[in-house]
Amino acid sequence: MGCHNLLGQSLDQHLWKNRVLLILSETSSSQLWHNQFMVLENCQPVLEERKVVTYQVMPDRYRTGLPQQNNQSWTHDTTLFENYITPGEKFAAILIGLDGGIKLRINETLDCQK
């Protein structure tokens, strides 16, 4: 996966400006999904300092920000989920660097230190 096509249209705006944290889940009822956003709420200052933009990504939609503070509407699109989820995965946290490359990919709750 070269970084020129990796981001896709919806993430291109962040190249060299922000790190992007994609939180992908098959369903919003996932315990990992809820745990991840509880952890991220407590990491707000770190996320801002490191210029991290968070995306909530479901199979058929996505939006930016964290659920607890979010008044953003969902964008109905399957591209982000399809481009970043691996077949068989139900949950993934993916950190994309300033250069558009994947720096971290885990299938468990990401903590503030990582």
Side-chain angles (χ1 to χ4, degrees), residues 3 6 12 25 33-34 42 45 55 59 65-66 73-74 78 81 83 85-87 90-91 93 113:
C3 70
L6 184 64
D12 277 346
S25 181
W33 174 266
H34 288 286
N42 297 322
Y55 276 73
L66 302 178
S73 60
W74 290 95
T78 60
F81 191 84
N83 284 352
I85 204 76
T86 299
K90 296 192 181 310
F91 175 87
Q113 287 74 31

Side-chain angles (χ1 to χ4, degrees), residues 7 9-20 51 53-55 64 97-100:
L7 293 180
Q9 200 170 14
S10 51
L11 300 183
D12 277 346
Q13 61 184 319
H14 301 297
L15 199 58
W16 301 114
K17 289 188 275 189
N18 303 101
R19 291 170 179 87
V20 176
K51 297 181 179 168
V53 174
T54 304
Y55 276 73
T64 58
L98 294 171
D99 64 357

Side-chain angles (χ1 to χ4, degrees), residues 7-103:
L7 293 180
Q9 200 170 14
S10 51
L11 300 183
D12 277 346
Q13 61 184 319
H14 301 297
L15 199 58
W16 301 114
K17 289 188 275 189
N18 303 101
R19 291 170 179 87
V20 176
L21 179 59
L22 299 175
I23 307 300
L24 302 101
S25 181
E26 261 188 2
T27 172
S28 60
S29 63
S30 159
Q31 192 59 51
L32 284 168
W33 174 266
H34 288 286
N35 291 349
Q36 184 61 78
F37 287 113
M38 285 192 326
V39 168
L40 291 176
E41 276 294 310
N42 297 322
C43 298
Q44 270 303 102
V46 174
L47 294 174
E48 288 170 18
E49 179 186 317
R50 303 287 295 153
K51 297 181 179 168
V52 176
V53 174
T54 304
Y55 276 73
Q56 303 169 51
V57 185
M58 305 302 288
D60 61 346
R61 63 192 186 278
Y62 69 87
R63 66 181 177 182
T64 58
L66 302 178
Q68 294 88 331
Q69 35 131 221
N70 204 318
N71 52 12
Q72 282 256 47
S73 60
W74 290 95
T75 298
H76 292 277
D77 188 341
T78 60
T79 312
L80 272 180
F81 191 84
E82 289 171 357
N83 284 352
Y84 288 95
I85 204 76
T86 299
E89 275 184 327
K90 296 192 181 310
F91 175 87
I94 301 170
L95 179 65
I96 299 171
L98 294 171
D99 64 357
I102 293 177
K103 305 302 178 191

